[in-house]
Amino acid sequence: SKCMKPFEKYINVRHVFPTRYQVDMDLKKAVDEADLANPERKVDVKKGLKKIFEDRYLNQKTVTSEKKAAGSQYFFQRLRF
């Protein structure tokens, strides 16, 4: 969990490619556009996101549906470059 480094990036919604995987994390409550404009508040937002990701990573077994469990496994899979 020490290797997790959250980042934020503005993207156009039309460029998001839908997949068959779903992860049940609600990040809209944690990130606000006004907070990202302030550099000091931006650090706090990143720390909050890291905590959400770490909690979700450590509690993968508590997923309610099988589809979301598969999405969670895929989401936290190590990237191969």
Side-chain angles (χ1 to χ4, degrees):
S1 69
K2 290 187 177 198
C3 295
M4 284 190 197
K5 288 189 174 184
F7 64 93
E8 80 288 334
K9 182 178 182 179
Y10 286 110
I11 58 171
N12 189 344
V13 178
R14 294 175 190 242
H15 292 119
V16 176
F17 186 72
T19 65
R20 63 177 178 223
Y21 300 107
Q22 296 178 0
V23 180
D24 57 345
M25 290 188 293
D26 189 19
L27 300 176
K28 290 182 181 180
K29 295 178 184 176
V31 180
D32 186 22
E33 287 187 39
D35 293 338
L36 296 178
N38 184 355
E40 296 162 354
R41 183 72 181 121
K42 193 178 205 181
V43 173
D44 294 335
V45 169
K46 285 184 186 180
K47 287 179 184 178
L49 286 175
K50 183 175 182 177
K51 184 172 177 11
I52 291 171
F53 283 125
E54 285 179 346
D55 289 343
R56 184 68 183 95
Y57 177 73
L58 296 174
N59 298 320
Q60 289 185 40
K61 305 281 187 216
T62 61
V63 178
T64 55
S65 72
E66 188 175 316
K67 187 173 184 178
K68 289 182 181 178
S72 179
Q73 266 184 334
Y74 176 77
F75 186 75
F76 289 112
Q77 199 173 41
R78 186 179 186 124
L79 296 175
R80 307 263 181 214
F81 290 112

